[in-house]
Amino acid sequence: MDAGSRVVRLCARGMRAEAEGRDAEARSLFRRAWESAADDYEACVAAHYLARHQPTPEDTLHWNQESLARAGLVADDRARDFYPSLHLNLAKAHRDLGSTGRARDHFRRAAEHAHDLPPGPYGDALRFAIADGLRGTGGAAVRPAGGLVAGLVAGWCARGELRALALVLPPYLGDLGTEEDRTRLVTALHLVHAGRWLPAGEQEALGRAVAAAG
């Protein structure tokens, strides 16, 4: 975001206030940002943060819709990186209102923009949230041996098999249904299988999963 923008600075102050539990101050700062917006980009940013502090699910949906609409009016690429988050927030708002179909549509649109997510924890967190939303609304891709992999992951979690989890959980939890995601998951499963540190039964089951998923 444009760090020189007054609106962006107000929103940054609002996020600090929110993180410190000063919600009323955060709401006030986000409202000031909205009232100070000089163009559609700044309005998009302010509406995005205003949506976080609304009294009803309907109001939250309204401000998320406003943010997405303003992003679509920005003539340059400044709002491009926002789309995964904007669609994710709209999906959550629709799901909170019981509109599963609309939620699923926005989770899918968020996934379509996931290539614009930045590397690192922020991008990973959004990817995981999008993938979780797809699973929760019936929009997730069906993977060969998906049930077998899920069982293996559950077992590793139960007994704290950290080496396997460290490799497999990121691609497993962040699977948005693309071929690239499938390849990433299969590669992680291969690496765990090659490590040969699992009990014999799990090693065999993992071998079957790798064969089916590959």
Side-chain angles (χ1 to χ4, degrees):
M1 289 190 286
D2 181 5
S5 162
R6 180 170 184 266
V7 166
V8 171
R9 293 197 302 271
L10 284 168
C11 289
R13 287 173 58 193
M15 287 299 291
R16 286 196 297 272
E18 181 182 292
E20 294 169 1
R22 294 179 279 116
D23 287 350
E25 182 179 347
R27 283 192 296 272
S28 175
L29 287 164
F30 296 145
R31 172 60 67 175
R32 285 171 58 191
W34 170 256
E35 294 169 350
S36 300
D39 58 20
D40 289 310
Y41 168 78
E42 292 186 337
C44 168
V45 173
H48 169 74
Y49 287 106
L50 260 179
R52 299 169 63 89
H53 290 274
Q54 295 303 310
T56 69
E58 291 81 6
D59 290 332
T60 299
L61 176 63
H62 164 76
W63 284 106
N64 281 317
Q65 288 173 327
E66 182 70 31
S67 184
L68 179 63
R70 292 304 186 105
L73 296 175
V74 177
D76 52 35
D77 287 338
R78 285 179 296 168
R80 177 178 176 180
D81 295 347
F82 296 171
Y83 281 100
S85 178
L86 297 181
H87 283 293
L88 174 62
N89 289 340
L90 270 167
K92 290 178 177 177
H94 279 298
R95 187 170 58 184
D96 288 344
L97 287 166
S99 300
T100 302
R102 290 183 178 180
R104 181 170 55 248
D105 289 343
H106 280 288
F107 281 125
R108 285 174 171 166
R109 293 182 70 181
E112 290 169 2
H113 289 279
H115 58 273
D116 289 323
L117 289 172
Y122 173 76
D124 289 344
L126 288 184
R127 172 177 283 272
F128 294 162
I130 295 166
D132 183 64
L134 288 171
R135 289 190 293 270
T137 57
V142 177
R143 295 297 194 194
L148 182 54
V149 174
L152 286 166
V153 169
W156 297 338
C157 289
R159 74 164 193 275
E161 177 51 73
L162 298 183
R163 290 175 296 180
L165 290 172
L167 288 170
V168 173
L169 271 186
Y172 177 74
L173 293 178
D175 184 0
L176 301 179
T178 68
E179 181 61 20
E180 181 181 356
D181 289 337
R182 186 196 67 81
T183 299
R184 188 180 296 114
L185 177 58
V186 171
T187 299
L189 294 171
H190 267 294
L191 289 171
V192 175
H193 190 261
R196 296 188 177 278
W197 59 69
L198 299 175
E202 284 188 5
Q203 189 73 16
E204 181 182 350
L206 180 56
R208 295 198 304 272
V210 167

